[in-house]
Amino acid sequence: MRKPSTILVTGGAGFIGSHTCVELLDHGYELIVIDDYSNSTPQVFTRVERITDRFVGAVYELDIRDRRALSAVFDRHSVDAVVHFAAHKAVGESTRMPIKYYDNNVGGTTALLRVMQEHAVHQLVFSSSCSIYGDAGRGPLDESTPAAPTNPYASSKWLCELLLADVCARCPEFTVLALRYFNPVGAHPSGLLGEDPGGVPDNLMPYVAQVAVGRRERLPVFGQDYATPDGTAVRDYLHVMDTAEAHRVALDHLADRPGMQIFNLGVGAGRSVLDVISAFAAACGRAVPYQILPRRPGDVTELVADAGAVARAWGWRPTRDLADMCRDAWRFQQLNPHGYAGSGRHPNGTRHDP
Ligand code: NAD
Ligand code: WQD
């Protein structure tokens, strides 16, 4: 199998997808990007082009469940491999709207696989999640930890992993790398790309950033009665640029071995909510007001990666620490206090052809 050079990226306008587009363009890949903008804006591509000084490539506004439209993209371009980010990711919403999550995340993945197979494209990098481990307990978790998802979002990711493993077992032409991200945060160091959640942020880092910039009064800290050193919950925060780099390295290794492989992507270090608040305060030079509230339903005490497998397999390790994550998230927040809203539209609209 030759090394892929033309990559189709689903969900490429999103948080991790847009940073990965930068990383891949910077390394000479040709891209075809698909997004339905259900949780993003095409304005990110103007910024990707400013950072990379390259044309993003062909960008299509479509829902990957629309197999006819997806197939037309594959008809038009010669795709070597797919990096598949497109999914809904809000845990809380998934508990209220489980069918929306199974439909988009599992249905989107099966539609993509059908079209890939019809076009003899067999190499896939899949976005999985540490959330499939559920409340697996204390200490670093390796990839053999049994899956125990506790919400429909996490279940949808686990179902995708199961179906991808089965496809690889039965169709030996397929090669899949499933990457289980822990908590990707931060932003591109230019401050041009970052995390821009609509409405009230669900996730910690964007909420802290919005408090620091004065958009919100104080951070709700969900629980200080966990069995952790300072009582707040512990996670493994990973810089989004390290996450993006891991995808580029994954593409280098797609051809190593047929079948499906699964890797955790994390730093391997647990940081508490109060650690993040302190690190962010140091990065922005001001206090981040917070208020201790009861635990958030469904939250677990600790989720930390054993990130050894990916280091052994590819020699890949994250290089950025929590201070870097906070510094870059703060720069993005300062330069874009209201996120991408108000920035200019892409000169070519939402779709541009090669
Ligand atoms: P995101 O919401 O910023 O990006 C996902 C993108 O996919 C968005 O641009 C959205 O518009 C698009 N999309 C959704 N459904 C689509 C569809 N049917 N067709 C076309 N486009 C569609 O999320 P993100 O944080 O960048 O996450 C990327 C992937 O990584 C997701 O699969 C997510 O489940 C997974 N993941 C994220 C995290 C995290 O903490 N951010 C952690 C683990 C796994
Ligand atoms: C981190 C910690 C909160 C917000 C989520 C998904 C998971 C994966 C990664 C996709 C927790 C606390 C948060 C706030 C807080 N995503 N917190 N105040 O919950 O670890 O994981 O993102 O796959 O599936 O569940 O991330 O950033 O929401 O929370 O105190 O306003 O911060 O309780 O302990 P989480 P998070």
Side-chain angles (χ1 to χ4, degrees), residues 6-349:
T6 302
I7 311 298
L8 186 140
V9 182
T10 75
F15 172 48
I16 305 171
S18 57
H19 290 78
T20 302
C21 287
V22 166
E23 175 69 12
L24 297 183
L25 289 167
D26 277 346
H27 285 79
Y29 285 95
E30 301 298 324
L31 302 185
I32 297 130
V33 185
I34 288 175
D35 207 296
D36 66 357
Y37 307 123
S38 53
N39 195 36
S40 56
T41 160
Q43 288 155 0
V44 298
F45 296 121
T46 314
R47 289 158 177 239
V48 168
E49 291 180 352
R50 267 177 72 189
I51 292 169
T52 60
D53 204 20
R54 277 195 62 191
F55 184 52
V56 171
V59 178
Y60 293 93
E61 179 175 358
L62 65 87
D63 183 325
I64 55 167
R65 289 168 294 181
D66 180 346
R67 275 177 34 209
R68 186 193 290 257
L70 187 60
S71 197
V73 175
F74 278 78
D75 284 342
R76 188 151 183 206
H77 302 277
S78 175
V79 175
D80 294 317
V82 177
V83 181
H84 176 32
F85 294 108
H88 294 324
K89 65 164 182 178
V91 170
E93 184 186 58
S94 81
T95 64
R96 296 186 300 277
M97 308 174 82
I99 297 167
K100 172 177 173 179
Y101 277 69
Y102 292 120
D103 185 8
N104 196 41
N105 297 2
V106 183
T109 300
T110 53
L112 176 65
L113 287 169
R114 278 288 291 272
V115 175
M116 286 174 65
Q117 187 176 46
E118 284 159 13
H119 292 81
V121 177
H122 300 119
Q123 301 196 71
L124 177 73
V125 180
F126 173 70
S127 296
S128 190
S129 168
C130 65
S131 60
I132 69 161
Y133 294 125
D135 200 358
R138 304 291 299 271
L141 306 174
D142 70 18
E143 292 81 353
S144 68
T145 307
T150 58
N151 56 71
Y153 164 73
S155 296
S156 75
K157 288 287 166 180
W158 175 234
L159 286 171
C160 287
E161 282 200 17
L162 289 175
L163 74 86
L164 289 167
D166 198 37
V167 165
C168 287
R170 293 165 199 283
C171 310
E173 63 277 18
F174 272 92
T175 304
V176 174
L177 290 173
L179 305 180
R180 292 176 178 165
Y181 322 145
F182 277 63
N183 287 54
V185 297
H188 189 271
S190 63
L192 286 170
L193 288 181
E195 194 167 6
D196 180 23
V200 180
D202 287 325
N203 298 114
L204 179 63
M205 188 69 87
Y207 206 123
V208 171
Q210 291 191 10
V211 172
V213 85
R215 262 176 81 178
R216 301 190 187 277
E217 203 177 331
R218 64 176 70 87
L219 173 80
V221 172
F222 297 131
Q224 201 178 15
D225 57 348
Y226 287 101
T228 62
D230 65 20
T232 63
V234 166
R235 297 288 183 273
D236 186 339
Y237 297 94
L238 173 70
H239 198 294
V240 67
M241 289 308 301
D242 280 321
T243 314
E245 281 173 23
H247 288 76
R248 194 244 313 151
V249 176
L251 290 171
D252 288 342
H253 290 276
L254 255 174
D256 286 359
R257 225 172 88 174
M260 176 152 164
Q261 293 182 83
I262 298 170
F263 293 109
N264 286 339
L265 286 190
V267 169
R271 310 304 294 257
S272 72
V273 176
L274 296 184
D275 289 338
V276 173
I277 294 172
S278 305
F280 207 96
C284 70
R286 60 184 78 167
V288 176
Y290 65 88
Q291 178 182 19
I292 306 292
L293 293 182
R295 292 183 182 195
R296 186 169 67 177
D299 270 352
V300 301
T301 304
E302 176 177 315
L303 269 178
V304 177
D306 176 334
V310 71
R312 288 188 295 277
W314 304 339
W316 180 82
R317 287 175 186 78
T319 59
R320 297 158 178 93
D321 64 14
L322 185 61
D324 300 322
M325 301 175 211
C326 293
R327 181 201 60 218
D328 293 335
W330 174 234
R331 188 178 294 117
F332 176 75
Q333 190 67 62
Q334 271 184 304
L335 292 175
N336 307 274
H338 297 283
Y340 294 118
S343 61
R345 281 183 70 79
H346 190 283
N348 296 326

